[in-house]
Amino acid sequence: MKKVISTTAAPAAIGPYSQAIVTGGLLFASGQLPVDPATGCFPEGGIREQARQSLLNVKSILEEAGTSLANVVKTTVYLHDMADFAQMNEVYAEFFAQPYPARSAVAVRELPKGALVEIEVVATV
């Protein structure tokens, strides 16, 4: 069995996918772009602001599913430019506490809508 998670507190899916799926006691969240769900736009600024918005979107999805950032076990961070890693990491540290989730961070050639970052998570529910 799988349960679809959807909230207006995070951007709607821009394609044929769900914001998140819960199955087997785990939540699998789709990658979250730094889109402010209230405006449909990226926040003003650079990587720090975009990373913060992506993580706020993740947080909203987790809360809709009845879980939280404390239950995240794995994250994947996609960066347009690995030179942004340190700044992204500073913002990331504001959202997660020890024991930190496992994480991968990779640079990609391009992200949807020209985003600088996209973040996906797996969490327990």
Side-chain angles (χ1 to χ4, degrees), residues 9-109:
I14 59 172
Y17 61 89
S18 300
Q19 286 176 327
I21 295 289
V22 172
T23 187
L26 294 173
L27 175 140
F28 298 86
S30 293
Q32 292 301 298
L33 293 174
V35 175
D36 181 334
T39 66
C41 299
F42 293 159
E44 297 274 332
I47 186 63
R48 289 177 195 274
E49 294 78 13
Q50 287 197 20
R52 184 169 288 106
Q53 185 63 58
S54 289
L55 288 163
L56 288 170
N57 294 342
V58 165
K59 184 175 184 266
S60 294
I61 290 168
L62 293 169
E63 289 172 353
E64 180 68 22
T67 190
S68 70
L69 290 167
N71 291 328
V72 172
V73 295
K74 173 70 168 84
T75 66
T76 305
V77 178
Y78 302 95
L79 293 165
H80 174 70
D81 187 342
M82 197 53 79
D84 290 335
F85 180 83
Q87 292 179 70
M88 175 281 302
N89 208 42
E90 289 173 10
V91 174
Y92 183 96
E94 296 171 13
F95 285 80
F96 294 102
Q98 290 190 14
Y100 299 113
R103 182 178 76 185
S104 300
V106 295
V108 295
R109 181 176 164 186

